[in-house]
RNA sequence: UCCCCUGUAGCUCAGUUGGUUAGAGCAUCUGACUGUUAAUCAGAGGGUCGUUGGUUCAAGUCCAACCGGGGGAGCCA
């Protein structure tokens, strides 16, 4: 059915035209006024039903959630809440929504309740705003990389490489689980499986992206990623989307510059293109925070935070400097930290939060971590103790980006494999890259959902993805 | 996986030291009103108190196990 998106009918320029709209009823007030939403904008269009032209029977079926289309003239509104409205002449009800059963009402629901109604939560203002912004961020990611000379690479979702050490993996198999073929010594006979070897869902496209970068120069991946960790937190998913740029002839500083420029670009894109949705989420956050104690509220509003990030440089410190700051901090001296702070140990959430939310109050890039707490492929620094790693931490979410300059020297990488107990035959292709035209290169991984949390102000990662996959949860 | 909190109407919640027939607001239904803005006003219906077992004359309330949800931690993006 040919029809006009509501987003185009809200300002005065089309007043006087005959229009057709389709959408879902948010409320039907006073037996006369329909608030209609079609997903093209967070705002509703008001339809005015002349009671004399529409029977009681028709009006009775106009309930919250029903799908309708309407034809009529767009006129200047007589009421105060909107500039335009539709004087309806024809009305069609496509699908009723039984008010006794339809669970979504024109009032506040908890995020937990809506999470159980995953098929209907798109109909709410909050989630439609989140998913419009999510789309915009997807577009902004591709736009940024395309405009900066990067090529998108589709790295495999099913992978035979298992030495990345990035986390627990989901096994992929076509073997009959009720009758698994065994070898003579009682182990699973993987030779009979689909790929003739163990296969898993990818935990990262990085190693493959490196191969592409060392030919195409600048590449990025943007795809689904799977971690079979039993993580029950507001910032972990079993299935999430990750963005992984990889750049040849780049060092750790180039990498930081790229990450910061990228973050500022996509945040600015949201501010410039999704003002209505952000305004709504900004207001929602203020309302939600009214019930919280002062010290748990954000000092800046959502939109103020985004503007701040778009306009200010990130703080850059080394791991060693971070340890010094922590050891000289008030909470350390008053023994408020639960975990010890000393050079060589990994930073805990409480330490990261102090640095980002209390000390610097802005995104922080921490570099040059001890080699022992980072992955085997990260480039060893000249001090022999640290590697050229970088994590970007943002207020409220924590780690949003993790990256590094990669070890390009074959002999050092081979030593690292030994140290980390990674058999060379598992990563021969990755090592080969260092044999033939090796060069320094760097990249990072950015959790897309964590970016969406940051941009929308949503506090649970399950509420920024349409169908969250978490332990014991895959209903839809 | 660990620690803490929590589960009462469609939704959000109250329910006292265990004690009659289980409470409110919103939603729903009926009626009134008719330029409303989460419309308003009057009335009505709506409950296996997460599940199972236990203590007790008596359990929404106490105990145990299990199942869900939330917050925090670890792992990380």
């Amino acid at each position: 059915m040919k029809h006009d998106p509501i987003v185009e009918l809200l300002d005065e320029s089309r007043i006087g035209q005959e229009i057709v709209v389709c959408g879902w009823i948010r409320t039907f007030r006073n037996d006369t006024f329909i608030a209609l939403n079609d997903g093209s904008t967070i705002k509703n269009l008001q339809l005015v039903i002349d009671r004399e032209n529409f029977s009681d029977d028709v009006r009775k079926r106009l309930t919250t959630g029903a799908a309708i289309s309407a034809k009529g003239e767009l006129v200047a509104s007589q009421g105060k809440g909107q500039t335009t409205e539709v004087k309806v002449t024809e009305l069609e009800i496509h699908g009723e929504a039984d008010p006794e059963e339809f669970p979504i009402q024109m009032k506040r629901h908890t995020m937990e309740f809506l999470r159980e109604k995953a098929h209907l939560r798109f109909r709410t203002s909050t989630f439609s705003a989140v998913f419009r912004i999510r789309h915009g961020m997807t577009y902004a990611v591709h736009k940024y990389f395309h405009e900066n000379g990067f090529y998108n690479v589709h790295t495999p979702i099913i992978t035979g490489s298992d030495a990345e050490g990035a986390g627990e993996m989901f096994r992929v198999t076509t073997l009959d689980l009720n009758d698994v073929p065994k070898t003579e010594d009682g182990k699973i006979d993987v030779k009979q499986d689909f790929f003739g070897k163990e296969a898993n869902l990818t935990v990262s496209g990085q190693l493959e992206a490196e191969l592409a970068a060392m030919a195409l120069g600048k590449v990025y991946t943007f795809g689904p990623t799977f971690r079979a960790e039993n993580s029950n937190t507001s910032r972990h998913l079993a299935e999430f989307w990750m963005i992984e740029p990889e750049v040849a002839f780049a060092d750790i500083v180039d990498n930081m510059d790229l990450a910061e420029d990228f973050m500022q670009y996509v945040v600015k894109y949201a501010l410039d293109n999704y003002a209505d949705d952000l305004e709504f989420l900004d207001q929602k956050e203020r309302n939600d925070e009214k019930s919280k104690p002062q010290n748990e509220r954000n000092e800046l509003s959502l939109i103020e935070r985004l503007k701040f990030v778009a306009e200010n440089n990130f703080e850059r410190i080394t791991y060693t400097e971070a340890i010094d700051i922590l050891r000289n901090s008030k909470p350390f001296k008053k023994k408020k930290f639960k975990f010890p702070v000393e050079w060589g140990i990994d930073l805990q959430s409480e330490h990261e939060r102090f640095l980002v939310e209390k000390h610097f109050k802005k995104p922080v890039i921490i570099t040059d971590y001890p080699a022992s707490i980072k992955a085997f492929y990260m480039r060893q620094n000249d001090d022999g103790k640290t590697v050229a790693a970088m994590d970007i931490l943002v207020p409220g979410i924590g780690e949003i980006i993790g990256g590094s300059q990669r070890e390009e020297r074959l002999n050092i990488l081979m030593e690292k494999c030994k140290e980390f107990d990674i058999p060379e035959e598992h990563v021969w292709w990755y090592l080969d890259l260092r044999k033939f035209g090796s060069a320094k290169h760097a990249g990072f991984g950015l959790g897309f959902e964590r970016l969406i949390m940051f941009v929308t102000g949503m506090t649970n990662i399950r509420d920024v993805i349409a169908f969250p996959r978490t332990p014991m949860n895959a209903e839809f």
Side-chain angles (χ1 to χ4, degrees), chain A residues 301-319:
Chain A
S301 77
L302 173 62
I303 290 175
E304 285 167 347
R305 295 201 298 278
L306 295 179
K307 281 186 178 159
F308 184 88
V309 166
E311 289 163 7
N312 290 279
N313 291 338
F314 295 5
E315 195 67 36
R316 298 184 184 193
I317 58 169
T318 65
Y319 167 89

PDB file of all heavy atoms in Angstrom, chain A residues 301-319:
ATOM      1  N   SER A 301      24.031  15.017  31.431  1.00  0.00           N
ATOM      2  CA  SER A 301      22.933  14.296  30.781  1.00  0.00           C
ATOM      3  C   SER A 301      23.478  13.534  29.577  1.00  0.00           C
ATOM      4  O   SER A 301      24.613  13.755  29.141  1.00  0.00           O
ATOM      5  CB  SER A 301      21.855  15.276  30.327  1.00  0.00           C
ATOM      6  OG  SER A 301      22.283  15.935  29.153  1.00  0.00           O
ATOM      7  N   LEU A 302      22.668  12.647  29.040  1.00  0.00           N
ATOM      8  CA  LEU A 302      23.105  11.821  27.898  1.00  0.00           C
ATOM      9  C   LEU A 302      23.659  12.685  26.766  1.00  0.00           C
ATOM     10  O   LEU A 302      24.761  12.449  26.268  1.00  0.00           O
ATOM     11  CB  LEU A 302      21.928  10.972  27.397  1.00  0.00           C
ATOM     12  CG  LEU A 302      22.173  10.171  26.115  1.00  0.00           C
ATOM     13  CD1 LEU A 302      23.283   9.144  26.305  1.00  0.00           C
ATOM     14  CD2 LEU A 302      20.893   9.488  25.662  1.00  0.00           C
ATOM     15  N   ILE A 303      22.891  13.663  26.356  1.00  0.00           N
ATOM     16  CA  ILE A 303      23.313  14.484  25.209  1.00  0.00           C
ATOM     17  C   ILE A 303      24.566  15.291  25.561  1.00  0.00           C
ATOM     18  O   ILE A 303      25.471  15.424  24.733  1.00  0.00           O
ATOM     19  CB  ILE A 303      22.151  15.394  24.746  1.00  0.00           C
ATOM     20  CG1 ILE A 303      21.071  14.502  24.099  1.00  0.00           C
ATOM     21  CG2 ILE A 303      22.633  16.454  23.767  1.00  0.00           C
ATOM     22  CD1 ILE A 303      19.806  15.231  23.705  1.00  0.00           C
ATOM     23  N   GLU A 304      24.638  15.768  26.801  1.00  0.00           N
ATOM     24  CA  GLU A 304      25.849  16.494  27.219  1.00  0.00           C
ATOM     25  C   GLU A 304      27.076  15.572  27.184  1.00  0.00           C
ATOM     26  O   GLU A 304      28.166  15.983  26.776  1.00  0.00           O
ATOM     27  CB  GLU A 304      25.667  17.035  28.646  1.00  0.00           C
ATOM     28  CG  GLU A 304      24.747  18.238  28.724  1.00  0.00           C
ATOM     29  CD  GLU A 304      24.315  18.574  30.150  1.00  0.00           C
ATOM     30  OE1 GLU A 304      24.518  17.744  31.063  1.00  0.00           O
ATOM     31  OE2 GLU A 304      23.764  19.663  30.343  1.00  0.00           O
ATOM     32  N   ARG A 305      26.873  14.322  27.593  1.00  0.00           N
ATOM     33  CA  ARG A 305      27.992  13.366  27.576  1.00  0.00           C
ATOM     34  C   ARG A 305      28.477  13.123  26.147  1.00  0.00           C
ATOM     35  O   ARG A 305      29.672  13.059  25.877  1.00  0.00           O
ATOM     36  CB  ARG A 305      27.571  12.030  28.198  1.00  0.00           C
ATOM     37  CG  ARG A 305      27.229  12.086  29.668  1.00  0.00           C
ATOM     38  CD  ARG A 305      27.330  10.710  30.341  1.00  0.00           C
ATOM     39  NE  ARG A 305      26.427   9.702  29.815  1.00  0.00           N
ATOM     40  CZ  ARG A 305      25.144   9.558  30.161  1.00  0.00           C
ATOM     41  NH1 ARG A 305      24.594  10.399  31.011  1.00  0.00           N
ATOM     42  NH2 ARG A 305      24.420   8.585  29.655  1.00  0.00           N
ATOM     43  N   LEU A 306      27.519  12.959  25.227  1.00  0.00           N
ATOM     44  CA  LEU A 306      27.889  12.685  23.834  1.00  0.00           C
ATOM     45  C   LEU A 306      28.624  13.881  23.232  1.00  0.00           C
ATOM     46  O   LEU A 306      29.628  13.718  22.532  1.00  0.00           O
ATOM     47  CB  LEU A 306      26.640  12.343  23.014  1.00  0.00           C
ATOM     48  CG  LEU A 306      25.918  11.051  23.422  1.00  0.00           C
ATOM     49  CD1 LEU A 306      24.686  10.831  22.552  1.00  0.00           C
ATOM     50  CD2 LEU A 306      26.838   9.837  23.328  1.00  0.00           C
ATOM     51  N   LYS A 307      28.121  15.079  23.522  1.00  0.00           N
ATOM     52  CA  LYS A 307      28.789  16.282  22.997  1.00  0.00           C
ATOM     53  C   LYS A 307      30.202  16.383  23.556  1.00  0.00           C
ATOM     54  O   LYS A 307      31.139  16.733  22.841  1.00  0.00           O
ATOM     55  CB  LYS A 307      27.984  17.535  23.376  1.00  0.00           C
ATOM     56  CG  LYS A 307      26.775  17.734  22.472  1.00  0.00           C
ATOM     57  CD  LYS A 307      26.074  19.048  22.774  1.00  0.00           C
ATOM     58  CE  LYS A 307      24.902  19.239  21.806  1.00  0.00           C
ATOM     59  NZ  LYS A 307      23.914  20.187  22.340  1.00  0.00           N
ATOM     60  N   PHE A 308      30.328  16.050  24.840  1.00  0.00           N
ATOM     61  CA  PHE A 308      31.638  16.126  25.475  1.00  0.00           C
ATOM     62  C   PHE A 308      32.632  15.203  24.781  1.00  0.00           C
ATOM     63  O   PHE A 308      33.765  15.581  24.480  1.00  0.00           O
ATOM     64  CB  PHE A 308      31.522  15.760  26.961  1.00  0.00           C
ATOM     65  CG  PHE A 308      32.811  15.899  27.716  1.00  0.00           C
ATOM     66  CD1 PHE A 308      33.167  17.109  28.285  1.00  0.00           C
ATOM     67  CD2 PHE A 308      33.691  14.823  27.822  1.00  0.00           C
ATOM     68  CE1 PHE A 308      34.365  17.248  28.966  1.00  0.00           C
ATOM     69  CE2 PHE A 308      34.897  14.952  28.493  1.00  0.00           C
ATOM     70  CZ  PHE A 308      35.235  16.179  29.071  1.00  0.00           C
ATOM     71  N   VAL A 309      32.186  13.971  24.489  1.00  0.00           N
ATOM     72  CA  VAL A 309      33.067  12.992  23.838  1.00  0.00           C
ATOM     73  C   VAL A 309      33.409  13.434  22.418  1.00  0.00           C
ATOM     74  O   VAL A 309      34.541  13.298  21.966  1.00  0.00           O
ATOM     75  CB  VAL A 309      32.404  11.597  23.829  1.00  0.00           C
ATOM     76  CG1 VAL A 309      33.130  10.658  22.872  1.00  0.00           C
ATOM     77  CG2 VAL A 309      32.406  11.020  25.232  1.00  0.00           C
ATOM     78  N   ALA A 310      32.415  13.997  21.717  1.00  0.00           N
ATOM     79  CA  ALA A 310      32.654  14.405  20.330  1.00  0.00           C
ATOM     80  C   ALA A 310      33.635  15.565  20.248  1.00  0.00           C
ATOM     81  O   ALA A 310      34.335  15.724  19.253  1.00  0.00           O
ATOM     82  CB  ALA A 310      31.326  14.781  19.671  1.00  0.00           C
ATOM     83  N   GLU A 311      33.708  16.367  21.316  1.00  0.00           N
ATOM     84  CA  GLU A 311      34.479  17.610  21.230  1.00  0.00           C
ATOM     85  C   GLU A 311      35.799  17.609  22.006  1.00  0.00           C
ATOM     86  O   GLU A 311      36.609  18.516  21.838  1.00  0.00           O
ATOM     87  CB  GLU A 311      33.604  18.778  21.737  1.00  0.00           C
ATOM     88  CG  GLU A 311      32.469  19.110  20.771  1.00  0.00           C
ATOM     89  CD  GLU A 311      31.370  19.946  21.432  1.00  0.00           C
ATOM     90  OE1 GLU A 311      31.559  20.370  22.587  1.00  0.00           O
ATOM     91  OE2 GLU A 311      30.341  20.151  20.775  1.00  0.00           O
ATOM     92  N   ASN A 312      35.997  16.607  22.866  1.00  0.00           N
ATOM     93  CA  ASN A 312      37.213  16.621  23.693  1.00  0.00           C
ATOM     94  C   ASN A 312      38.101  15.405  23.421  1.00  0.00           C
ATOM     95  O   ASN A 312      37.605  14.310  23.173  1.00  0.00           O
ATOM     96  CB  ASN A 312      36.840  16.641  25.174  1.00  0.00           C
ATOM     97  CG  ASN A 312      36.232  17.967  25.580  1.00  0.00           C
ATOM     98  OD1 ASN A 312      36.930  18.937  25.834  1.00  0.00           O
ATOM     99  ND2 ASN A 312      34.910  18.010  25.605  1.00  0.00           N
ATOM    100  N   ASN A 313      39.410  15.642  23.492  1.00  0.00           N
ATOM    101  CA  ASN A 313      40.344  14.537  23.296  1.00  0.00           C
ATOM    102  C   ASN A 313      40.243  13.545  24.435  1.00  0.00           C
ATOM    103  O   ASN A 313      39.923  13.913  25.558  1.00  0.00           O
ATOM    104  CB  ASN A 313      41.780  15.061  23.232  1.00  0.00           C
ATOM    105  CG  ASN A 313      42.019  15.864  21.967  1.00  0.00           C
ATOM    106  OD1 ASN A 313      41.291  15.696  20.976  1.00  0.00           O
ATOM    107  ND2 ASN A 313      43.005  16.730  22.002  1.00  0.00           N
ATOM    108  N   PHE A 314      40.527  12.287  24.130  1.00  0.00           N
ATOM    109  CA  PHE A 314      40.554  11.258  25.163  1.00  0.00           C
ATOM    110  C   PHE A 314      41.844  11.403  25.958  1.00  0.00           C
ATOM    111  O   PHE A 314      42.852  11.872  25.436  1.00  0.00           O
ATOM    112  CB  PHE A 314      40.509   9.852  24.539  1.00  0.00           C
ATOM    113  CG  PHE A 314      39.228   9.524  23.811  1.00  0.00           C
ATOM    114  CD1 PHE A 314      38.222  10.471  23.644  1.00  0.00           C
ATOM    115  CD2 PHE A 314      39.025   8.256  23.282  1.00  0.00           C
ATOM    116  CE1 PHE A 314      37.043  10.165  22.974  1.00  0.00           C
ATOM    117  CE2 PHE A 314      37.853   7.941  22.605  1.00  0.00           C
ATOM    118  CZ  PHE A 314      36.866   8.892  22.449  1.00  0.00           C
ATOM    119  N   GLU A 315      41.808  11.012  27.212  1.00  0.00           N
ATOM    120  CA  GLU A 315      43.018  11.013  28.027  1.00  0.00           C
ATOM    121  C   GLU A 315      43.868   9.806  27.607  1.00  0.00           C
ATOM    122  O   GLU A 315      43.325   8.722  27.366  1.00  0.00           O
ATOM    123  CB  GLU A 315      42.620  10.885  29.504  1.00  0.00           C
ATOM    124  CG  GLU A 315      43.711  11.229  30.468  1.00  0.00           C
ATOM    125  CD  GLU A 315      44.084  12.701  30.428  1.00  0.00           C
ATOM    126  OE1 GLU A 315      43.185  13.553  30.246  1.00  0.00           O
ATOM    127  OE2 GLU A 315      45.285  12.998  30.574  1.00  0.00           O
ATOM    128  N   ARG A 316      45.179   9.972  27.516  1.00  0.00           N
ATOM    129  CA  ARG A 316      46.042   8.845  27.159  1.00  0.00           C
ATOM    130  C   ARG A 316      47.087   8.634  28.250  1.00  0.00           C
ATOM    131  O   ARG A 316      47.888   9.534  28.514  1.00  0.00           O
ATOM    132  CB  ARG A 316      46.746   9.093  25.821  1.00  0.00           C
ATOM    133  CG  ARG A 316      45.779   9.230  24.667  1.00  0.00           C
ATOM    134  CD  ARG A 316      46.499   9.383  23.352  1.00  0.00           C
ATOM    135  NE  ARG A 316      45.535   9.607  22.262  1.00  0.00           N
ATOM    136  CZ  ARG A 316      45.831   9.539  20.985  1.00  0.00           C
ATOM    137  NH1 ARG A 316      47.085   9.270  20.607  1.00  0.00           N
ATOM    138  NH2 ARG A 316      44.913   9.739  20.062  1.00  0.00           N
ATOM    139  N   ILE A 317      47.069   7.464  28.871  1.00  0.00           N
ATOM    140  CA  ILE A 317      48.067   7.162  29.898  1.00  0.00           C
ATOM    141  C   ILE A 317      48.576   5.739  29.717  1.00  0.00           C
ATOM    142  O   ILE A 317      47.913   4.909  29.100  1.00  0.00           O
ATOM    143  CB  ILE A 317      47.495   7.308  31.336  1.00  0.00           C
ATOM    144  CG1 ILE A 317      46.289   6.378  31.531  1.00  0.00           C
ATOM    145  CG2 ILE A 317      47.124   8.744  31.634  1.00  0.00           C
ATOM    146  CD1 ILE A 317      45.842   6.265  32.977  1.00  0.00           C
ATOM    147  N   THR A 318      49.757   5.482  30.268  1.00  0.00           N
ATOM    148  CA  THR A 318      50.262   4.115  30.222  1.00  0.00           C
ATOM    149  C   THR A 318      49.739   3.352  31.431  1.00  0.00           C
ATOM    150  O   THR A 318      49.291   3.945  32.415  1.00  0.00           O
ATOM    151  CB  THR A 318      51.806   4.077  30.267  1.00  0.00           C
ATOM    152  OG1 THR A 318      52.217   4.591  31.540  1.00  0.00           O
ATOM    153  CG2 THR A 318      52.417   4.896  29.152  1.00  0.00           C
ATOM    154  N   TYR A 319      49.796   2.037  31.336  1.00  0.00           N
ATOM    155  CA  TYR A 319      49.407   1.175  32.457  1.00  0.00           C
ATOM    156  C   TYR A 319      50.200   1.570  33.708  1.00  0.00           C
ATOM    157  O   TYR A 319      49.636   1.665  34.802  1.00  0.00           O
ATOM    158  CB  TYR A 319      49.672  -0.276  32.071  1.00  0.00           C
ATOM    159  CG  TYR A 319      49.601  -1.250  33.229  1.00  0.00           C
ATOM    160  CD1 TYR A 319      48.396  -1.851  33.585  1.00  0.00           C
ATOM    161  CD2 TYR A 319      50.747  -1.587  33.955  1.00  0.00           C
ATOM    162  CE1 TYR A 319      48.330  -2.741  34.642  1.00  0.00           C
ATOM    163  CE2 TYR A 319      50.691  -2.484  35.013  1.00  0.00           C
ATOM    164  CZ  TYR A 319      49.490  -3.057  35.358  1.00  0.00           C
ATOM    165  OH  TYR A 319      49.429  -3.934  36.400  1.00  0.00           O
TER     166      TYR A 319
END
